[in-house]
Each structure stands twice: as C-alpha cells, then as structure tokens.
Amino acid sequence: DVKVTQSSRYLVKRTGEKVFLECVQDMDHENMFWYRQDPGLGLRLIYFSYDVKMKEKGDIPEGYSVSREKKERFSLILESASTNQTSMYLCASSLLGTSGSYEQYFGPGTRLTVT
Amino acid sequence: KNEVEQSPQNLTAQEGEFITINCSYSVGISALHWLQQHPGGGIVSLFMLSSGKKKHGRLIATINIQEKHSSLHITASHPRDSAVYICAVTPNTGNQFYFGTGTSLTVIP
C-alpha cells in the first residue's frame, strides 16, 4: 500500500514565523503535490514537483515555496506565516503519467493555525 | 473559473436511500476521479474512470464523455457513508487534478 505521511496533524504558529511542512511517500512516485483546502473553495494546488529539484507553480503559490531534494520528500515552506494561511494542507503523490492518468494518494493533512 | 462543478453541495439522506451526486466538467480529460474525505481530513480514491461505468460494493460511478458528466451513486446508504465526496479530473495535458468543491453527505440512521 502506498503511504504518504505528513510531519504534523495539527500546528499552531505565530504571524511572521517560518513554517515547514514535510511530506514523505514510500512508493517511489515521481509526482508530488501540495494543496490547501478551505471551506467552500475545495482543494487548490499550491505547488507540484515531477522530479527531484523540479517544481512548478500551481494556482496559489504566493507566500509559499517548496523544496524537493530527495525523491520521497517534498517540503512546503511558509516564509513568513500570515493569518490568511490558516488552512488544511494536504500532500499527495502519484506516478508520472506520460499518457492517461494515475491516482493521487493523499496524506492525512496538516491543520495549520496562524495566530 | 471552475473546470469542475458538483451538485448538490450538501445532501442529507435517510439510511437505506439511493443517493446520486453529479459532476460536470468543461475540459477535455484523460480521466475522472471520485474521492472520499471523512471528517479528520484523509482523502481516499474511490474510482478512476475514463469511460462507461465502474462498481465497487454499493458504490457505482458512471461517466458520459460526450456530455462531460459523471455521477456517483450509493445504493442502500448507511451512516458510515457520511463524508465529503469530491470529483476531480485530469486534463488531457499535464498531471494536475482539477477539483470540484465537494458534496457533503450526511446519512441519518
């Protein structure tokens, strides 16, 4: 079974702090994704990566950066946390599809509160 | 713009009822996915389909490519089916998903 783990289930940070959210997958997937999920807005893509050291902006990259130094690990960084970044953050991974589509496997989520 | 639209947004049913959740999309796709999210956050994939119909237990998913429409049916609903059901599509190009905003289902005993 694919397993995607996230470093924290719940996190409380202060405005202006630098925040690191870590995601690890154990199935040698090429693709990894970071989403945020807010009521009424659904899942929105922040960044994704299709290979080590490669990254692509998603729909809402402002205020975030990412790092992928190893294939199994994808980190989301909030350089200076703000209250509007309070949200549920979900990581996912999938195989790299050259044609067709592959399932995404999701981590349990990190509920981040910025005060 | 929303590439994926779901209806209804909220649904309450009595145990045993037949449930239908609808999904419409506006882009060419390589696949459509139905996902389930229970309270607490974890998302699991229920179905991935590109044509026709798939069945797993009491869940059935159908897709009509020409009409760009999919439905998720739950037969003999049960309180443990209470969850948010999310429709997502993979467009013809790229590996991203486009997500609907989800349908929150509550099944009352």
Side-chain angles (χ1 to χ4, degrees):
Chain A
D1 271 355
V2 176
K3 195 162 185 183
V4 180
T5 57
Q6 294 183 228
S7 49
S8 305
R9 290 301 305 272
Y10 300 94
L11 209 51
V12 179
K13 294 292 182 181
R14 293 191 182 275
T15 301
E17 280 193 81
K18 191 168 186 176
V19 182
F20 292 88
L21 302 182
E22 300 267 303
C23 175
V24 178
Q25 50 94 4
D26 67 358
M27 280 301 289
D28 204 35
H29 284 170
E30 293 88 358
N31 289 338
M32 296 189 75
F33 306 83
W34 273 108
Y35 299 97
R36 65 177 281 177
Q37 186 179 31
D38 300 288
L41 297 177
L43 283 148
R44 293 181 291 167
L45 181 65
I46 305 171
Y47 269 97
F48 71 98
S49 168
Y50 53 89
D51 202 352
V52 174
K53 297 192 186 295
M54 306 302 289
K55 61 185 180 184
E56 295 281 345
K57 291 180 180 179
D59 300 318
I60 50 164
E62 298 79 17
Y64 303 94
S65 62
V66 290
S67 172
R68 193 163 180 204
E69 297 296 319
K70 293 185 178 182
K71 191 174 185 180
E72 68 272 17
R73 189 180 296 270
F74 192 35
S75 301
L76 179 70
I77 303 150
L78 287 65
E79 296 289 343
S80 178
S82 63
T83 54
N84 64 11
Q85 292 178 310
T86 292
S87 186
M88 170 70 90
Y89 290 87
L90 288 148
C91 174
S93 72
S94 77
L95 290 169
L96 183 67
T98 54
S99 64
S101 177
Y102 290 95
E103 286 183 45
Q104 287 196 7
Y105 295 85
F106 288 84
T110 296
R111 188 166 293 282
L112 173 67
T113 303
V114 183
T115 62
Chain B
K1 64 174 184 178
N2 290 330
E3 290 85 0
V4 182
E5 300 277 356
Q6 280 184 245
S7 64
Q9 284 191 325
N10 297 285
L11 184 55
T12 300
Q14 292 287 335
E15 184 173 356
E17 282 187 16
F18 181 85
I19 289 163
T20 297
I21 301 170
N22 295 301
C23 175
S24 297
Y25 54 92
S26 58
V27 296
I29 67 169
S30 58
L32 182 141
H33 306 254
W34 282 102
L35 311 171
Q36 181 190 56
Q37 185 175 30
H38 279 288
I43 295 176
V44 296
S45 177
L46 297 174
F47 295 103
M48 181 174 72
L49 63 166
S50 54
S51 66
K53 177 177 168 178
K54 286 191 175 180
K55 185 174 189 288
H56 185 253
R58 295 180 293 105
L59 272 59
I60 302 165
T62 64
I63 188 168
N64 184 317
I65 296 294
Q66 286 73 30
E67 295 186 2
K68 291 187 164 62
H69 181 269
S70 175
S71 294
L72 176 69
H73 306 285
I74 304 175
T75 61
S77 60
H78 189 276
R80 65 175 174 265
D81 297 325
S82 298
V84 175
Y85 292 85
I86 302 169
C87 175
V89 300
T90 312
N92 284 331
T93 56
N95 287 283
Q96 295 187 49
F97 278 24
Y98 294 138
F99 294 89
T101 54
T103 296
S104 179
L105 171 66
T106 302
V107 181
I108 299 169

